[in-house]
Amino acid sequence: MKIPTSRLDRLLANLGYGSRREIQMLARRGLITLDGAPVFDAEARMAVAPDLSARMVVDGEALDPLPGLVLMLHKPLGVTCSHREAGPLVYGLLPPRWRRRDPALSTVGRLDKETSGLLLLTDDGALLHRIISPKHHVPKRYLVSLARPLNGTEAGVFATGTLMLEGEEKPLLPAEMEVLGAREAALTVHEGRYHQVRRMFAALGNHVEALHRDRMGALALPADLKPGQWMALGQAEIDAIFAVKAPTP
Ligand code: URA
C-alpha cells in the first residue's frame, strides 16, 4: 500500500495545531520531533503512516490521531449534537484542538439532548454514510424507561413493520422489543428517524421518560466508559458496528 505524504505544516495545521506560520515557529524552536530528532523544516514532507502519532511529539505531547479517526463517546444527558438545539455541544467534551480539525469530526447521526449513551463521531465521511445509510440497517439498541406500564402489545406492533408515525408517509421497519420490567424495555431499531423511539411509544399511548443507547450493531458501550468519556475505536470495533445482520424487511 502506498503511504501518502504531506507537508508537516499542512498536516499539523489540518490537525488544529495553528496556522502554518505558527507551526513554522514551533519547528524552528525544535518543538516538533520525529523519532526523538527535531524537525526544523516545517515544509518537509512526511510519510503519513499510521504509526506517525507514536513517533512524532509536538510541544511535549504525542501527535494527535491522524485523520480517519473514529470515536465512541458516552454522551451524557443535557448536551446536544447540533447547533440547532440550545445547550452545550458534544464537541465540547473533546480536546479543544480537535474542534479545529480539517476534515472535521462529525457525529454519526444524532441523539436527542435528553438521550444518553453510545454516540460515534468521525472525520471519515464515507464511513459515516455507511453507518447511517438505510441500506446497511445498522441496528441500534435503546434502553427505555416509560411513564406507564407496558400493556403487552408493544413488541407485536413494533415487529409488524406497519406502524406509522404521525406526519410520515412510510411505515417503520420492523423493530424488536424485549421487556425488561413493568415500565422498562430494550428496543432495537434499524433506521434513524427523528425522535424515533419517543414517537414509537407515543404512537402507542405511552411516554418515554428516559432513553439510553447502549449498542450499535455488535458494538456495545463499555461499562467503564463513563458519561462524558470517549475512546478511539480500532478496526475490530469499527467492523463490529456492521457485524449484526438486519432482519429482511
Ligand atoms: N430515538 C429518540 O427518540 N431519540 C434519540 O435520541 C434516539 C432515538
Side-chain angles (χ1 to χ4, degrees), residues 75 110-116 140 142 189 191-200 208 211 213:
K75 180 194 168 297
R110 291 190 189 142
L111 289 177
D112 299 338
K113 185 173 180 180
E114 294 312 329
T115 302
S116 58
K140 294 169 279 271
Y142 294 89
V189 301
E191 52 198 330
R193 303 202 199 176
Y194 182 66
H195 291 332
Q196 180 168 340
V197 176
R198 293 175 200 274
R199 290 165 72 211
M200 285 171 76
V208 172
L211 192 55
R213 182 160 71 193

Side-chain angles (χ1 to χ4, degrees), residues 55-136:
R55 296 170 53 210
M56 182 168 277
V57 172
V58 182
D59 205 5
E61 283 177 35
L63 179 68
D64 286 348
L66 297 173
L69 184 57
V70 186
L71 301 177
M72 171 161 52
L73 169 73
H74 185 158
K75 180 194 168 297
L77 296 174
V79 297
T80 74
C81 291
S82 150
H83 288 285
R84 273 175 261 167
E85 260 188 299
L89 282 163
V90 288
Y91 302 102
L93 297 165
L94 304 177
R97 181 164 57 234
W98 292 17
R99 274 173 267 165
R100 300 192 294 269
R101 288 171 68 105
D102 179 14
L105 281 164
S106 308
T107 64
V108 178
R110 291 190 189 142
L111 289 177
D112 299 338
K113 185 173 180 180
E114 294 312 329
T115 302
S116 58
L118 196 172
L119 180 70
L120 299 174
L121 296 103
T122 186
D123 57 9
D124 180 338
L127 177 70
L128 186 151
H129 285 109
R130 205 174 143 221
I131 300 171
I132 63 173
S133 151
K135 218 172 66 196
H136 288 97

Side-chain angles (χ1 to χ4, degrees), residues 115-116 140-146 178 180 183-188 197-198 201 208-215 221:
T115 302
S116 58
K140 294 169 279 271
R141 188 170 82 165
Y142 294 89
L143 303 179
V144 189
S145 296
L146 296 157
E178 191 189 336
L180 300 179
R183 293 193 286 133
E184 322 283 324
L187 178 64
T188 302
V197 176
R198 293 175 200 274
F201 282 98
V208 172
E209 284 194 327
L211 192 55
H212 176 84
R213 182 160 71 193
D214 72 341
R215 198 172 266 271
L221 190 69

